[in-house]
Amino acid sequence: MYNNIVVGFDDSKFSKAALLESSRWIKRHGGKVVLVHAVFFDEEEFAIAPGQREKRFELGKKICFQTKETFSTELGLNGQMEALVCEGEPHDVVVDIANSKKADLIAIGTHGRKGFKKLFMGSVTSRVIARSSCDVFVINKPCEECSGRYGSILLSYDGSELSKKALKRACDLAKIDSSEITALYIIPHYEVFITKGMEESMIQDAQKIMEDAKKMASGHGVEIKTEIVEEHVAEKAAEKIVETANRLKSNLIIRGPHGWSGINKAMIGSIAEDVIINASCPVLIVK
């Protein structure tokens, strides 16, 4: 499923967690990990301190190749891990390398290493997700219990084409790891007055969407559970997703990069971002 994984790396605890998860996946299923470090150095900075460019490259090479050797040895991934150090904007470097390597997954952390070039701030993660043509796996904190296996998956689902792709990906994972999938539908927020009849109609629509999700999953050979939640405050939709994942003890959240297609477009993207930041487990964004 994921045989060629590009990991954005800056030696932070977040990027180490992304590398560890990716390495454990490759160890279990085979494939290759490409560890990528970006050295950003703009022209103004170069004019002030030209010698810093070479120093950053040397430091980047040192931490990347040391990490490669350590992970390869400890996890038994000899020949399955490559390390690259490239110059450029972090999100451009990671996505461009993923494209050139024909990667089927990018793994990143949400924040960079303090005192070093902050490689993975929220804006960089968002840009990687926006630009990537492959799925993006995001970790917002180290996870001692993570093992590269996902037995409980929460799927954020709204019936859109992107969420249908996310459902297919969840089913693929379920067949590999015998995972239990719960699909969560959050009844969308409208910036208008909602009558009782309108509310009942929205609930019926939600029930139909989730029944269709069950049928699609069954077509892929997987049985799923479903939950429907009403949340009329759009800003709290991400909270519902995170709360549900915590209650179900999910060790992976899967969703598309956008939600509620055609509704409340101002919130598109921000829900996924809020889930990534606040989730206690990794988040897989399906492209």
Side-chain angles (χ1 to χ4, degrees):
M1 180 178 172
Y2 294 124
N3 298 311
N4 193 2
I5 305 175
V6 165
V7 181
F9 188 77
D10 70 346
D11 202 35
S12 68
K13 60 183 180 181
F14 304 100
S15 63
K16 284 180 178 178
L19 179 59
L20 181 58
E21 275 291 87
S22 301
S23 298
R24 284 173 172 167
W25 172 271
I26 293 299
K27 182 175 176 61
R28 292 183 66 233
H29 305 292
K32 187 174 183 178
V33 176
V34 181
L35 185 157
V36 178
H37 177 76
V39 175
F40 178 70
F41 201 81
D42 60 32
E43 292 183 5
E44 183 179 345
E45 192 175 10
F46 179 75
I48 297 171
Q52 285 296 316
R53 179 177 180 274
E54 190 62 31
K55 288 181 180 179
R56 290 183 187 177
F57 264 101
E58 289 304 315
L59 178 58
K61 289 177 182 178
K62 181 179 179 181
I63 62 173
C64 285
F65 289 108
Q66 283 181 347
T67 300
K68 173 192 168 186
E69 292 304 313
T70 299
F71 273 66
S72 295
T73 301
E74 291 183 356
L75 295 176
L77 295 177
N78 293 320
Q80 293 177 278
M81 185 174 289
E82 178 183 0
L84 297 174
V85 179
C86 305
E87 184 172 7
E89 290 276 6
H91 61 278
D92 288 332
V93 168
V94 172
V95 173
D96 289 346
I97 292 297
N99 290 338
S100 68
K101 294 290 184 179
K102 294 181 171 56
D104 38 36
L105 181 69
I106 293 175
I108 56 176
T110 52
H111 299 81
R113 181 172 178 265
K114 292 182 179 179
F116 199 68
K117 182 63 188 178
K118 292 187 177 180
L119 179 57
F120 291 118
M121 297 300 290
S123 61
V124 175
T125 302
S126 296
R127 289 171 184 172
V128 169
I129 292 171
R131 278 204 57 202
S132 175
S133 58
C134 64
D135 295 352
V136 181
F137 180 76
V138 189
I139 293 182
N140 69 357
K141 62 182 179 181
C143 178
E144 295 179 358
E145 297 178 359
C146 292
S147 63
R149 182 184 182 280
Y150 309 104
S152 176
I153 296 173
L154 178 66
L155 171 68
S156 178
Y157 190 81
D158 65 1
S160 65
E161 289 305 311
L162 282 172
S163 68
K164 289 177 182 177
K165 289 182 179 180
L167 172 61
K168 170 63 166 56
R169 195 74 79 248
C171 290
D172 292 339
L173 278 170
K175 286 187 281 189
I176 292 172
D177 283 336
S178 299
S179 312
E180 181 177 273
I181 301 173
T182 299
L184 174 68
Y185 181 92
I186 300 176
I187 294 178
H189 170 69
Y190 291 86
E191 299 290 346
V192 294
F193 175 74
I194 302 294
T195 66
K196 185 66 175 177
M198 292 171 66
E199 185 174 0
E200 291 175 353
S201 178
M202 290 165 65
I203 293 172
Q204 290 174 0
D205 288 343
Q207 291 170 339
K208 183 180 185 306
I209 287 171
M210 298 313 270
E211 284 302 315
D212 289 342
K214 285 183 178 180
K215 291 178 182 177
M216 280 187 282
S218 181
H220 294 301
V222 177
E223 299 300 318
I224 66 171
K225 298 179 180 179
T226 61
E227 291 193 16
I228 297 172
V229 175
E230 292 186 64
E231 180 49 75
H232 298 303
V233 180
E235 291 81 359
K236 292 186 177 181
E239 288 183 24
K240 291 291 186 183
I241 296 170
V242 173
E243 287 172 3
T244 303
N246 290 339
R247 172 170 54 81
L248 297 175
K249 297 181 179 179
S250 303
N251 40 40
L252 182 67
I253 296 173
I254 300 180
R255 61 166 292 122
H258 308 294
W260 294 349
S261 180
I263 301 169
N264 217 5
K265 288 182 179 291
M267 295 302 298
I268 287 179
S270 65
I271 294 175
E273 193 168 321
D274 287 344
V275 169
I276 289 168
I277 292 170
N278 295 295
S280 58
C281 63
V283 179
L284 177 65
I285 302 296
V286 177
K287 297 304 293 286

